[in-house]
Coordinates of all heavy atoms in Angstrom, one line a residue:
M1 N -20.8 -4.7 -7.2 CA -20.3 -3.7 -6.2 C -18.8 -3.9 -5.9 O -18.1 -2.9 -5.8 CB -21.2 -3.8 -5.0 CG -21.0 -2.7 -4.1 SD -21.5 -1.1 -4.9 CE -21.2 0.0 -3.6
I2 N -18.4 -5.2 -5.9 CA -17.0 -5.4 -5.6 C -16.2 -4.9 -6.8 O -15.1 -4.3 -6.5 CB -16.8 -6.9 -5.4 CG1 -17.5 -7.4 -4.1 CG2 -15.3 -7.3 -5.3 CD1 -17.4 -8.8 -3.8
R3 N -16.6 -5.1 -8.0 CA -15.9 -4.6 -9.1 C -15.7 -3.1 -9.1 O -14.6 -2.6 -9.4 CB -16.5 -5.0 -10.4 CG -16.4 -6.5 -10.7 CD -17.0 -6.9 -12.0 NE -16.9 -8.4 -12.1 CZ -17.8 -9.1 -12.7 NH1 -18.8 -8.5 -13.4 NH2 -17.6 -10.4 -12.8
F4 N -16.7 -2.4 -8.7 CA -16.7 -0.9 -8.6 C -15.7 -0.5 -7.6 O -14.9 0.4 -7.7 CB -18.1 -0.4 -8.3 CG -18.0 1.1 -8.0 CD1 -17.9 2.0 -9.0 CD2 -18.1 1.5 -6.7 CE1 -17.8 3.4 -8.7 CE2 -18.1 2.9 -6.4 CZ -17.9 3.8 -7.4
T5 N -15.7 -1.2 -6.4 CA -14.7 -0.9 -5.4 C -13.3 -1.2 -5.8 O -12.4 -0.4 -5.5 CB -15.1 -1.8 -4.1 OG1 -16.4 -1.6 -3.8 CG2 -14.2 -1.4 -2.9
V6 N -13.1 -2.3 -6.5 CA -11.7 -2.5 -7.0 C -11.2 -1.4 -8.0 O -10.1 -1.0 -7.9 CB -11.7 -3.9 -7.7 CG1 -10.4 -4.1 -8.5 CG2 -11.9 -5.0 -6.7
I7 N -12.1 -1.0 -8.9 CA -11.8 0.1 -9.8 C -11.5 1.4 -9.0 O -10.5 2.1 -9.3 CB -12.9 0.2 -10.8 CG1 -12.9 -1.0 -11.8 CG2 -12.7 1.5 -11.7 CD1 -14.1 -1.0 -12.7
F8 N -12.3 1.7 -8.1 CA -12.2 2.9 -7.3 C -10.9 2.9 -6.5 O -10.1 3.9 -6.5 CB -13.4 3.1 -6.3 CG -13.3 4.3 -5.5 CD1 -13.5 5.6 -6.0 CD2 -12.9 4.2 -4.1 CE1 -13.4 6.7 -5.2 CE2 -12.8 5.3 -3.4 CZ -13.0 6.6 -3.9
L9 N -10.5 1.8 -5.9 CA -9.3 1.7 -5.1 C -8.1 1.8 -6.1 O -7.0 2.3 -5.7 CB -9.3 0.4 -4.3 CG -10.2 0.4 -3.1 CD1 -10.2 -1.0 -2.5 CD2 -9.7 1.4 -2.1
S10 N -8.2 1.2 -7.3 CA -7.1 1.3 -8.2 C -6.9 2.7 -8.6 O -5.7 3.2 -8.8 CB -7.4 0.4 -9.4 OG -7.5 -0.9 -9.0
I11 N -7.9 3.5 -8.9 CA -7.8 4.9 -9.3 C -7.2 5.7 -8.2 O -6.3 6.5 -8.4 CB -9.1 5.4 -9.7 CG1 -9.5 4.8 -11.1 CG2 -9.1 7.0 -9.9 CD1 -11.0 5.1 -11.5
T12 N -7.6 5.5 -6.9 CA -7.1 6.2 -5.8 C -5.6 5.8 -5.5 O -4.9 6.6 -5.0 CB -8.0 6.1 -4.6 OG1 -8.1 4.7 -4.2 CG2 -9.3 6.7 -4.8
S13 N -5.3 4.6 -5.9 CA -3.8 4.3 -5.8 C -3.0 5.1 -6.7 O -1.8 5.4 -6.4 CB -3.7 2.8 -6.0 OG -4.2 2.0 -5.0
L14 N -3.5 5.3 -7.9 CA -2.8 6.2 -8.8 C -2.6 7.6 -8.3 O -1.6 8.2 -8.5 CB -3.5 6.2 -10.2 CG -3.5 4.9 -11.0 CD1 -4.3 5.1 -12.2 CD2 -2.1 4.5 -11.3
L15 N -3.6 8.1 -7.5 CA -3.4 9.4 -6.9 C -2.3 9.3 -5.8 O -1.6 10.3 -5.6 CB -4.7 9.8 -6.3 CG -5.9 10.1 -7.3 CD1 -7.2 10.4 -6.6 CD2 -5.5 11.3 -8.2
S16 N -2.2 8.2 -5.1 CA -1.2 8.0 -4.1 C 0.2 8.0 -4.8 O 1.2 8.4 -4.2 CB -1.4 6.7 -3.3 OG -2.6 6.8 -2.6
V17 N 0.3 7.4 -6.0 CA 1.6 7.4 -6.7 C 2.0 8.9 -7.0 O 3.2 9.2 -6.9 CB 1.4 6.6 -8.1 CG1 2.7 6.8 -8.9 CG2 1.2 5.2 -7.8
Y18 N 1.0 9.7 -7.3 CA 1.3 11.1 -7.5 C 1.9 11.7 -6.2 O 2.9 12.5 -6.3 CB 0.0 11.9 -7.9 CG 0.1 13.4 -7.9 CD1 0.7 14.0 -9.0 CD2 -0.3 14.2 -6.8 CE1 0.8 15.4 -9.0 CE2 -0.2 15.5 -6.9 CZ 0.4 16.1 -8.0 OH 0.5 17.5 -8.0
R19 N 1.4 11.4 -5.1 CA 1.9 11.9 -3.8 C 3.3 11.4 -3.5 O 4.2 12.1 -3.0 CB 1.0 11.5 -2.7 CG 1.4 12.0 -1.3 CD 1.8 13.4 -1.2 NE 0.7 14.3 -1.6 CZ 0.9 15.6 -1.9 NH1 2.1 16.2 -1.8 NH2 -0.1 16.3 -2.3
V20 N 3.6 10.1 -3.9 CA 4.9 9.5 -3.7 C 5.9 10.2 -4.6 O 7.0 10.6 -4.1 CB 4.9 8.0 -4.0 CG1 6.3 7.5 -4.0 CG2 4.1 7.3 -2.9
I21 N 5.6 10.5 -5.8 CA 6.5 11.1 -6.7 C 6.8 12.6 -6.4 O 7.9 13.1 -6.4 CB 6.0 11.0 -8.2 CG1 6.1 9.5 -8.6 CG2 6.9 11.8 -9.2 CD1 5.4 9.2 -9.9
L22 N 5.7 13.4 -6.2 CA 5.8 14.8 -6.0 C 5.6 15.3 -4.5 O 5.5 16.5 -4.3 CB 4.8 15.5 -6.9 CG 5.0 15.3 -8.4 CD1 3.8 15.9 -9.1 CD2 6.3 15.8 -8.8
G23 N 5.7 14.4 -3.6 CA 5.5 14.8 -2.2 C 6.6 15.8 -1.8 O 7.7 15.6 -2.0
P24 N 6.2 16.9 -1.1 CA 7.2 17.8 -0.7 C 8.1 17.4 0.4 O 9.3 17.8 0.4 CB 6.3 19.0 -0.3 CG 5.0 18.5 0.0 CD 4.8 17.3 -0.8
T25 N 7.7 16.4 1.2 CA 8.5 15.9 2.3 C 8.6 14.4 2.2 O 7.8 13.8 1.5 CB 8.0 16.3 3.6 OG1 6.7 15.7 3.8 CG2 7.8 17.8 3.8
I26 N 9.6 13.9 2.9 CA 9.8 12.4 2.9 C 8.6 11.7 3.6 O 8.2 10.6 3.3 CB 11.1 12.0 3.5 CG1 11.4 10.5 3.3 CG2 11.2 12.3 5.0 CD1 11.7 10.2 1.8
Q27 N 8.0 12.5 4.6 CA 6.9 11.9 5.3 C 5.7 11.7 4.4 O 4.9 10.7 4.5 CB 6.5 12.8 6.5 CG 7.5 12.8 7.6 CD 8.6 13.8 7.4 OE1 8.6 14.5 6.5 NE2 9.6 13.7 8.3
D28 N 5.4 12.7 3.5 CA 4.4 12.6 2.5 C 4.6 11.4 1.6 O 3.7 10.6 1.3 CB 4.3 13.8 1.7 CG 3.7 15.0 2.4 OD1 3.0 14.8 3.4 OD2 4.1 16.1 2.1
R29 N 5.8 11.1 1.2 CA 6.1 10.0 0.4 C 5.9 8.7 1.1 O 5.4 7.7 0.5 CB 7.6 10.1 -0.1 CG 7.7 11.3 -1.1 CD 9.1 11.3 -1.7 NE 9.1 12.3 -2.8 CZ 9.9 13.3 -2.8 NH1 10.9 13.4 -1.9 NH2 9.9 14.2 -3.9
L30 N 6.3 8.6 2.4 CA 6.1 7.4 3.1 C 4.6 7.1 3.3 O 4.1 6.0 3.2 CB 6.7 7.5 4.5 CG 8.3 7.3 4.5 CD1 8.8 7.5 5.9 CD2 8.6 5.9 4.0
V31 N 3.8 8.1 3.6 CA 2.3 8.0 3.7 C 1.8 7.5 2.4 O 0.9 6.6 2.4 CB 1.7 9.3 4.2 CG1 0.2 9.2 4.1 CG2 2.1 9.6 5.6
G32 N 2.2 8.0 1.3 CA 1.8 7.6 0.0 C 2.1 6.1 -0.3 O 1.3 5.3 -0.8
L33 N 3.3 5.7 0.1 CA 3.7 4.3 -0.1 C 2.9 3.4 0.8 O 2.5 2.3 0.4 CB 5.2 4.1 0.3 CG 6.2 4.5 -0.8 CD1 7.6 4.4 -0.2 CD2 6.1 3.6 -2.0
N34 N 2.6 3.8 2.0 CA 1.8 3.0 2.9 C 0.3 2.9 2.4 O -0.3 1.8 2.4 CB 1.8 3.6 4.3 CG 1.3 2.7 5.4 OD1 1.3 1.5 5.1 ND2 1.0 3.2 6.5
L35 N -0.2 4.0 1.8 CA -1.5 3.9 1.2 C -1.6 3.0 0.0 O -2.5 2.2 -0.1 CB -1.9 5.3 0.7 CG -2.5 6.3 1.7 CD1 -2.6 7.7 1.1 CD2 -3.8 5.8 2.2
I36 N -0.5 3.0 -0.8 CA -0.5 2.1 -2.0 C -0.5 0.6 -1.5 O -1.2 -0.2 -2.0 CB 0.7 2.4 -2.9 CG1 0.5 3.8 -3.5 CG2 0.9 1.3 -3.9 CD1 1.7 4.3 -4.2
A37 N 0.4 0.3 -0.5 CA 0.5 -1.0 0.0 C -0.9 -1.5 0.6 O -1.3 -2.6 0.4 CB 1.6 -1.1 1.1
T38 N -1.5 -0.6 1.4 CA -2.8 -1.0 2.0 C -3.9 -1.2 0.9 O -4.6 -2.2 1.0 CB -3.2 0.1 3.0 OG1 -2.2 0.3 3.9 CG2 -4.5 -0.2 3.7
K39 N -4.0 -0.3 0.0 CA -5.0 -0.4 -1.1 C -4.7 -1.7 -1.9 O -5.7 -2.4 -2.3 CB -5.0 0.8 -1.9 CG -5.6 2.0 -1.2 CD -5.6 3.2 -2.0 CE -6.1 4.4 -1.2 NZ -6.1 5.6 -2.0
T40 N -3.5 -2.0 -2.2 CA -3.2 -3.2 -3.0 C -3.6 -4.4 -2.2 O -4.2 -5.4 -2.8 CB -1.7 -3.3 -3.3 OG1 -1.3 -2.1 -4.0 CG2 -1.3 -4.5 -4.1
T41 N -3.4 -4.4 -0.9 CA -3.8 -5.6 -0.1 C -5.3 -5.7 -0.1 O -5.9 -6.8 -0.2 CB -3.3 -5.4 1.4 OG1 -1.9 -5.2 1.4 CG2 -3.7 -6.6 2.2
V42 N -6.1 -4.6 0.0 CA -7.5 -4.7 0.0 C -8.0 -5.1 -1.4 O -9.0 -5.9 -1.4 CB -8.1 -3.3 0.4 CG1 -9.6 -3.3 0.1 CG2 -7.8 -2.9 1.8
V43 N -7.4 -4.7 -2.4 CA -7.8 -5.1 -3.8 C -7.6 -6.6 -3.9 O -8.4 -7.4 -4.5 CB -7.0 -4.4 -4.9 CG1 -7.1 -5.0 -6.2 CG2 -7.5 -2.9 -4.9
M44 N -6.4 -7.2 -3.4 CA -6.2 -8.6 -3.5 C -7.3 -9.4 -2.7 O -7.7 -10.4 -3.2 CB -4.8 -8.9 -2.9 CG -3.7 -8.7 -3.8 SD -2.2 -9.4 -3.2 CE -1.2 -7.9 -3.0
V45 N -7.7 -8.9 -1.6 CA -8.7 -9.6 -0.8 C -10.1 -9.5 -1.5 O -10.8 -10.5 -1.6 CB -8.9 -8.9 0.6 CG1 -10.1 -9.5 1.3 CG2 -7.6 -9.2 1.4
L46 N -10.4 -8.4 -2.1 CA -11.6 -8.3 -2.9 C -11.6 -9.2 -4.1 O -12.6 -9.8 -4.4 CB -11.9 -6.8 -3.3 CG -12.3 -5.9 -2.2 CD1 -12.3 -4.4 -2.7 CD2 -13.6 -6.3 -1.5
L47 N -10.5 -9.3 -4.8 CA -10.4 -10.2 -5.9 C -10.5 -11.6 -5.5 O -11.0 -12.5 -6.2 CB -9.1 -9.9 -6.7 CG -9.1 -8.6 -7.5 CD1 -7.7 -8.4 -8.1 CD2 -10.2 -8.5 -8.5
A48 N -10.0 -12.0 -4.3 CA -10.1 -13.3 -3.8 C -11.6 -13.7 -3.6 O -12.0 -14.8 -3.9 CB -9.3 -13.5 -2.5
V49 N -12.3 -12.7 -3.1 CA -13.8 -12.9 -2.9 C -14.5 -13.0 -4.2 O -15.3 -13.9 -4.4 CB -14.4 -11.8 -2.0 CG1 -15.9 -11.9 -1.9 CG2 -13.8 -11.9 -0.6
L50 N -14.2 -12.1 -5.1 CA -14.8 -12.1 -6.4 C -14.6 -13.3 -7.2 O -15.5 -13.9 -7.9 CB -14.4 -10.8 -7.2 CG -15.0 -10.5 -8.5 CD1 -16.5 -10.2 -8.3 CD2 -14.4 -9.4 -9.2
W51 N -13.4 -13.8 -7.3 CA -13.0 -14.9 -8.1 C -13.0 -16.2 -7.3 O -12.6 -17.3 -7.9 CB -11.6 -14.7 -8.8 CG -11.7 -13.6 -9.8 CD1 -12.7 -13.1 -10.5 CD2 -10.5 -12.8 -10.2 NE1 -12.3 -12.1 -11.3 CE2 -11.0 -11.9 -11.1 CE3 -9.2 -12.8 -9.8 CZ2 -10.2 -11.0 -11.8 CZ3 -8.4 -11.8 -10.4 CH2 -8.8 -11.0 -11.4
D52 N -13.3 -16.2 -6.1 CA -13.3 -17.4 -5.2 C -11.9 -18.1 -5.3 O -11.9 -19.3 -5.4 CB -14.4 -18.3 -5.6 CG -14.7 -19.4 -4.5 OD1 -14.5 -19.1 -3.3 OD2 -15.2 -20.5 -4.9
Q53 N -10.9 -17.4 -5.1 CA -9.5 -17.9 -5.1 C -8.9 -17.6 -3.7 O -8.5 -16.5 -3.4 CB -8.7 -17.2 -6.1 CG -9.1 -17.5 -7.5 CD -8.8 -19.0 -7.9 OE1 -7.8 -19.5 -7.5 NE2 -9.7 -19.6 -8.7
K54 N -8.8 -18.7 -2.9 CA -8.3 -18.5 -1.5 C -6.8 -18.2 -1.5 O -6.3 -17.6 -0.5 CB -8.6 -19.7 -0.7 CG -10.1 -19.9 -0.5 CD -10.4 -21.1 0.4 CE -11.9 -21.2 0.5 NZ -12.3 -22.4 1.3
I55 N -6.1 -18.5 -2.5 CA -4.6 -18.3 -2.5 C -4.3 -16.8 -2.5 O -3.3 -16.3 -1.9 CB -4.0 -18.9 -3.7 CG1 -2.4 -18.9 -3.6 CG2 -4.4 -18.3 -5.0 CD1 -1.9 -19.8 -2.6
F56 N -5.2 -16.0 -3.0 CA -5.1 -14.5 -3.0 C -5.0 -14.0 -1.6 O -4.4 -13.0 -1.3 CB -6.1 -13.8 -3.8 CG -6.0 -13.9 -5.3 CD1 -7.0 -13.4 -6.1 CD2 -4.8 -14.4 -5.9 CE1 -6.8 -13.5 -7.5 CE2 -4.7 -14.5 -7.2 CZ -5.7 -14.0 -8.0
L57 N -5.8 -14.6 -0.7 CA -5.8 -14.2 0.7 C -4.4 -14.4 1.4 O -3.9 -13.6 2.1 CB -6.9 -15.0 1.5 CG -8.3 -14.7 1.1 CD1 -9.2 -15.6 1.8 CD2 -8.6 -13.2 1.2
D58 N -3.8 -15.5 1.0 CA -2.4 -15.8 1.5 C -1.4 -14.8 1.0 O -0.6 -14.2 1.7 CB -1.9 -17.2 1.2 CG -2.8 -18.3 1.8 OD1 -3.4 -18.0 2.9 OD2 -2.9 -19.4 1.2
V59 N -1.5 -14.5 -0.3 CA -0.7 -13.5 -0.9 C -0.9 -12.1 -0.3 O 0.1 -11.4 0.0 CB -0.9 -13.5 -2.4 CG1 -0.1 -12.3 -3.1 CG2 -0.5 -14.8 -3.0
A60 N -2.2 -11.8 0.0 CA -2.5 -10.5 0.5 C -1.9 -10.4 2.0 O -1.4 -9.3 2.4 CB -4.0 -10.3 0.6
L61 N -2.0 -11.4 2.7 CA -1.4 -11.4 4.1 C 0.1 -11.2 4.1 O 0.6 -10.4 4.8 CB -1.8 -12.7 4.8 CG -1.3 -12.9 6.2 CD1 -1.9 -11.8 7.1 CD2 -1.6 -14.2 6.8
V62 N 0.8 -11.9 3.2 CA 2.2 -11.8 3.1 C 2.6 -10.4 2.6 O 3.5 -9.7 3.1 CB 2.8 -12.9 2.2 CG1 4.3 -12.6 1.8 CG2 2.7 -14.2 2.8
Y63 N 1.8 -9.9 1.6 CA 2.1 -8.5 1.1 C 1.9 -7.5 2.2 O 2.6 -6.5 2.3 CB 1.2 -8.2 -0.1 CG 1.5 -7.0 -0.8 CD1 2.6 -6.9 -1.7 CD2 0.8 -5.8 -0.6 CE1 2.9 -5.8 -2.3 CE2 1.1 -4.6 -1.2 CZ 2.2 -4.6 -2.1 OH 2.5 -3.5 -2.8
A64 N 0.8 -7.6 3.0 CA 0.6 -6.7 4.1 C 1.7 -6.7 5.2 O 2.1 -5.7 5.6 CB -0.8 -7.0 4.8
I65 N 2.2 -7.9 5.5 CA 3.3 -8.0 6.5 C 4.5 -7.4 5.9 O 5.2 -6.6 6.6 CB 3.5 -9.5 6.9 CG1 2.3 -10.0 7.7 CG2 4.8 -9.6 7.6 CD1 2.3 -11.5 7.9
L66 N 4.9 -7.7 4.7 CA 6.1 -7.1 4.1 C 6.0 -5.6 3.9 O 7.0 -4.9 4.1 CB 6.4 -7.7 2.7 CG 6.8 -9.2 2.7 CD1 7.0 -9.7 1.3 CD2 8.1 -9.3 3.5
G67 N 4.8 -5.1 3.6 CA 4.6 -3.6 3.5 C 4.8 -3.0 4.8 O 5.4 -1.9 5.0
Y68 N 4.2 -3.6 5.9 CA 4.4 -3.0 7.2 C 5.8 -3.0 7.7 O 6.3 -2.0 8.2 CB 3.5 -3.8 8.2 CG 3.6 -3.3 9.6 CD1 3.0 -2.2 10.1 CD2 4.4 -4.1 10.6 CE1 3.2 -1.7 11.4 CE2 4.5 -3.7 11.9 CZ 3.9 -2.5 12.3 OH 4.0 -2.1 13.6
V69 N 6.5 -4.1 7.5 CA 7.9 -4.2 7.9 C 8.8 -3.3 7.1 O 9.7 -2.6 7.7 CB 8.4 -5.7 7.8 CG1 9.9 -5.8 8.0 CG2 7.7 -6.5 8.8
G70 N 8.5 -3.1 5.8 CA 9.2 -2.2 5.0 C 9.1 -0.8 5.4 O 10.1 0.0 5.5
I71 N 7.9 -0.3 5.7 CA 7.7 1.0 6.2 C 8.3 1.3 7.5 O 9.0 2.3 7.7 CB 6.1 1.3 6.3 CG1 5.5 1.4 4.9 CG2 5.9 2.7 7.0 CD1 6.0 2.5 4.0
I72 N 8.3 0.3 8.4 CA 9.0 0.5 9.7 C 10.5 0.6 9.5 O 11.1 1.4 10.1 CB 8.6 -0.7 10.6 CG1 7.1 -0.7 11.0 CG2 9.5 -0.6 11.9 CD1 6.7 0.6 11.8
A73 N 11.0 -0.2 8.6 CA 12.5 -0.2 8.4 C 12.9 1.1 7.8 O 13.9 1.7 8.2 CB 12.9 -1.4 7.4
I74 N 12.1 1.6 6.8 CA 12.5 2.9 6.2 C 12.4 4.0 7.2 O 13.2 4.9 7.2 CB 11.6 3.2 5.0 CG1 11.9 2.2 3.8 CG2 11.7 4.6 4.5 CD1 10.9 2.2 2.7
T75 N 11.4 4.0 8.0 CA 11.2 5.0 9.0 C 12.3 5.0 10.0 O 12.9 6.1 10.4 CB 9.8 4.8 9.8 OG1 8.8 4.8 8.8 CG2 9.6 5.9 10.8
R76 N 12.7 3.9 10.5 CA 13.8 3.8 11.4 C 15.1 4.3 10.8 O 15.9 4.9 11.4 CB 14.0 2.4 12.0 CG 12.9 2.0 13.0 CD 13.3 0.8 13.7 NE 12.2 0.5 14.6 CZ 12.3 -0.3 15.6 NH1 13.4 -1.0 15.8 NH2 11.3 -0.5 16.4
Y77 N 15.4 3.9 9.6 CA 16.6 4.3 8.9 C 16.6 5.9 8.7 O 17.6 6.5 9.0 CB 16.6 3.7 7.5 CG 17.8 4.2 6.6 CD1 19.1 3.8 6.9 CD2 17.5 5.1 5.6 CE1 20.1 4.3 6.1 CE2 18.6 5.6 4.8 CZ 19.9 5.2 5.1 OH 20.9 5.7 4.4
L78 N 15.5 6.5 8.3 CA 15.4 7.9 8.2 C 15.5 8.6 9.5 O 16.1 9.7 9.6 CB 14.1 8.3 7.4 CG 14.1 7.9 6.0 CD1 12.7 8.2 5.4 CD2 15.2 8.6 5.2
R79 N 14.9 8.0 10.6 CA 15.0 8.7 11.9 C 16.5 8.6 12.4 O 16.9 9.6 13.0 CB 14.1 8.0 12.9 CG 14.0 8.7 14.2 CD 13.0 8.1 15.0 NE 13.5 6.8 15.6 CZ 12.9 6.1 16.4 NH1 11.7 6.4 16.8 NH2 13.4 4.9 16.8
K80 N 17.2 7.5 12.1 CA 18.6 7.5 12.5 C 19.4 8.5 11.8 O 20.3 9.1 12.4 CB 19.1 6.1 12.2 CG 20.5 5.9 12.8 CD 21.2 4.6 12.3 CE 20.4 3.4 12.5 NZ 21.1 2.1 12.1
E81 N 19.1 8.7 10.5 CA 19.9 9.7 9.7 C 19.6 11.1 10.3 O 20.5 11.9 10.3 CB 19.4 9.7 8.3 CG 20.4 8.9 7.4 CD 20.0 9.1 5.9 OE1 19.2 10.0 5.6 OE2 20.4 8.2 5.2
V82 N 18.4 11.4 10.7 CA 18.1 12.7 11.2 C 18.7 13.0 12.5 O 19.2 14.1 12.8 CB 16.5 12.9 11.3 CG1 16.2 14.2 12.0 CG2 15.9 12.9 9.9
I83 N 18.7 12.0 13.4 CA 19.3 12.1 14.7 C 20.8 12.3 14.7 O 21.4 13.2 15.4 CB 19.0 10.9 15.6 CG1 17.5 10.9 15.9 CG2 19.7 10.9 16.9 CD1 17.0 9.7 16.7
E84 N 21.5 11.6 13.8 CA 22.9 11.7 13.7 C 23.3 12.9 12.9 O 23.6 13.8 12.8 CB 23.5 10.5 13.1 CG 23.4 9.3 13.9 CD 23.8 8.0 13.2 OE1 24.2 8.1 12.0 OE2 23.9 7.0 13.8

């Protein structure tokens, strides 16, 4: 079941790439990037469970933090551009 979930999340991440590339607005692209980061984190956690590798959990945690901080930074930068 974990393997099916990993495959399903990988396929839906490809759909998110489509939204990032062809999103009509910058907000759509940011949501797509956030979806990709979240799904990648979940896949890393599932692979850690499947392969019994605890190091993947550490990598997933760091990736989630960097993804969150990155989205916040991009959002603040774009908001500053719109206000000015």
Side-chain angles (χ1 to χ4, degrees):
M1 192 64 178
I2 293 176
R3 289 182 183 150
F4 173 75
T5 306
V6 168
I7 292 169
F8 179 75
L9 287 172
S10 300
I11 291 170
T12 56
S13 289
L14 292 176
L15 295 173
S16 297
V17 170
Y18 172 79
R19 177 53 54 197
V20 170
I21 294 171
L22 298 176
T25 64
I26 193 69
Q27 290 86 6
D28 290 331
R29 291 184 171 128
L30 284 175
V31 168
L33 281 174
N34 199 14
L35 277 172
I36 292 169
T38 303
K39 288 177 185 181
T40 303
T41 304
V42 172
V43 166
M44 280 190 245
V45 170
L46 289 173
L47 289 176
V49 171
L50 184 65
W51 292 334
D52 195 29
Q53 295 289 323
K54 294 182 183 179
I55 190 71
F56 285 173
L57 296 175
D58 296 335
V59 173
L61 181 63
V62 170
Y63 189 78
I65 291 169
L66 290 176
Y68 177 75
V69 170
I71 292 295
I72 295 297
I74 292 170
T75 304
R76 286 192 179 195
Y77 174 75
L78 291 175
R79 189 172 73 177
K80 187 189 307 184
E81 259 188 19
V82 170
I83 292 174
E84 294 175 352

